[in-house]
Amino acid sequence: GSSAIATLATGLVLLLALGMLDPRKHLSLGAGFVWSSSICAAIYSGYRIATAMKWIRKANPQLAPLHQYLAIEANSQSTSNGEIPNKLTQGVSVEHVTLQAGSNQKLLDDVSVIFRPGQLTAIVSPDPFLAKALVEMVLGFGQPVSGRLLFDQVESKDLSSQSIREHSLWIAPNGPLLTGTIEDNLWLGLQRDATIDMREITKLARVSDAIFELPDGLQTLVSSNEQRLSPDLMFRLGIARAFLKKPGILVAEEPASSQPGIEAETTRALLEVRNHSCVVLVLPNRLSTLRAADQVVVLHHRKIADMGTHNELLERSELYRHWNYMHFAPAIR
């Protein structure tokens, strides 16, 4: 291929030279330069194409095994038929778990903790990504690279991700809300039950008064970027949804600090969910929630630095005292 291109290039250059020497052609020096440049570019392109074709011919036999490998269907864990019981009796056990990000960077390293039904656990860390990594793993987003994640002694690898998520609920200060009525949003993804007293549900979530002060109560239309509802109200609507869904696991990302009375009401609503034998994990932003938590888990440098109640950790953990000071100073009380 290369020799043929070289022969063609030589012939073209000779023809160009003869044309320039023939006075009848009236080929100017500028035109000759343009033609010469075009021919050189064509020759170089042809050479590159010939080289690429040569490498493709060499690579095809080596690519065949790769294509065969890629054609193999993966045995994804998400296709498992395992199901979580409707109610967890023993809870979620994290045993010597190491979790990695997609870049093989460790997020958690040899972490062990038990989250029990009827217990509210606050998870704190100077690096909030570590706390989020732990709760997202419990929600079925990611599998440990080592150790075990157990739901009532059933390993997560034997459960479908869909099953874990169906029995879990994430609530946050920004909803989510969909365009529709408030009642539509409370029943989101659930089959409606006309026998349920919605006023009682909203009372448990400490959101009844706020809803029925709205122009149309539960039938008030809201949108995905609703501005009339405060973060606390959005958060407590999520808690009301939990009373309807009755998840085995609730993960709550608390709103930022607010007025003490509002904070206390939101904490009481979380405790109501806990009292219904639910595993409640909180990414806390409220001192009232830390004080009410049955256990506080402190993550640092990808490991569990300490565990205990709020008061116990204030007494013995310098790291926890510093974390509290940074979040609540000068209001630690």
Side-chain angles (χ1 to χ4, degrees), residues 3 24 34 50 68 93 103 121-122 125 129 131 168 207 210 214 226 232 236 239 243 247 259 303 312 324:
S3 60
R24 294 173 297 175
V34 171
Q68 291 175 2
S93 298
S103 59
T121 300
S125 174
F129 289 106
S168 308
V207 77
L214 293 170
E226 185 60 52
D232 265 279
R236 279 187 257 172
I239 295 176
F243 284 114
Q259 298 172 4
K303 296 178 179 289
E312 290 170 348
N324 264 263

Side-chain angles (χ1 to χ4, degrees), residues 82-94 114-119 138-139 149-156 159 163-169 245-251 273-281:
E83 295 288 333
I84 295 180
N86 288 332
K87 276 293 180 184
L88 294 173
T89 57
Q90 300 175 58
V92 181
S93 298
V94 180
I114 299 176
F115 305 123
R116 300 189 186 282
Q119 184 181 66
V138 171
L139 288 174
L149 175 63
L150 304 168
F151 296 83
D152 270 4
Q153 299 306 310
V154 179
E155 287 197 46
S156 58
L159 296 167
S163 172
I164 296 173
R165 291 168 198 167
E166 282 177 355
H167 291 81
S168 308
L169 182 65
K245 182 175 181 177
K246 300 177 182 176
I249 304 163
L250 176 71
V251 173
V273 180
R274 176 204 66 179
N275 292 340
H276 284 69
S277 298
C278 180
V279 173
V280 180
L281 308 181

Side-chain angles (χ1 to χ4, degrees), residues 82-329:
E83 295 288 333
I84 295 180
N86 288 332
K87 276 293 180 184
L88 294 173
T89 57
Q90 300 175 58
V92 181
S93 298
V94 180
E95 297 183 354
H96 303 288
V97 159
T98 296
L99 182 68
Q100 290 184 343
S103 59
N104 293 328
Q105 177 187 4
K106 282 187 180 179
L107 297 174
L108 303 173
D109 185 13
D110 195 24
V111 168
S112 295
V113 61
I114 299 176
F115 305 123
R116 300 189 186 282
Q119 184 181 66
L120 188 153
T121 300
I123 303 173
V124 303
S125 174
D127 182 353
F129 289 106
L130 300 184
K132 269 202 169 181
L134 178 56
V135 299
E136 286 176 358
M137 180 185 68
V138 171
L139 288 174
F141 297 95
Q143 286 285 346
V145 295
S146 64
R148 300 194 303 170
L149 175 63
L150 304 168
F151 296 83
D152 270 4
Q153 299 306 310
V154 179
E155 287 197 46
S156 58
K157 67 181 182 181
D158 296 325
L159 296 167
S160 66
S161 296
Q162 171 126 6
S163 172
I164 296 173
R165 291 168 198 167
E166 282 177 355
H167 291 81
S168 308
L169 182 65
W170 176 291
I171 61 173
N174 58 354
L177 282 182
L178 299 180
T179 299
T181 68
I182 288 180
E183 187 170 10
D184 291 338
N185 276 276
L186 292 181
W187 284 107
L188 186 63
L190 302 173
Q191 186 173 358
R192 297 197 183 209
D193 185 346
T195 65
I196 289 179
D197 184 347
M198 294 300 292
R199 187 177 286 271
E200 184 62 29
I201 292 293
T202 55
K203 278 184 179 178
L204 287 172
R206 304 297 199 273
V207 77
S208 177
D209 292 343
I211 287 178
F212 290 100
E213 284 176 3
L214 293 170
D216 297 307
L218 285 169
Q219 302 310 312
T220 300
L221 286 171
V222 293
S223 65
S224 57
N225 59 349
E226 185 60 52
Q227 301 296 318
R228 291 173 296 173
L229 307 183
S230 67
D232 265 279
L233 184 52
M234 298 266 276
F235 185 76
R236 279 187 257 172
L237 286 175
I239 295 176
R241 189 180 292 157
F243 284 114
L244 292 172
K245 182 175 181 177
K246 300 177 182 176
I249 304 163
L250 176 71
V251 173
E253 186 177 4
E254 270 195 320
S257 293
S258 182
Q259 298 172 4
I262 294 174
E263 288 189 12
E265 282 295 285
T266 301
T267 299
R268 289 190 189 102
L270 284 172
L271 292 174
E272 284 285 356
V273 180
R274 176 204 66 179
N275 292 340
H276 284 69
S277 298
C278 180
V279 173
V280 180
L281 308 181
V282 182
L283 302 176
N285 282 306
R286 279 41 188 322
L287 193 57
S288 58
T289 300
L290 285 169
R291 286 176 163 175
D294 298 290
Q295 70 172 349
V296 180
V297 176
V298 184
L299 290 169
H300 190 49
H301 292 319
R302 302 182 297 277
K303 296 178 179 289
I304 291 182
D306 209 339
M307 284 189 290
T309 65
H310 173 68
N311 289 335
E312 290 170 348
L313 292 173
L314 283 179
E315 287 182 9
R316 69 170 181 248
S317 173
E318 183 177 348
L319 175 65
Y320 185 70
R321 285 196 299 272
H322 177 72
W323 184 89
N324 264 263
Y325 178 80
M326 296 300 292
H327 274 71
F328 303 116

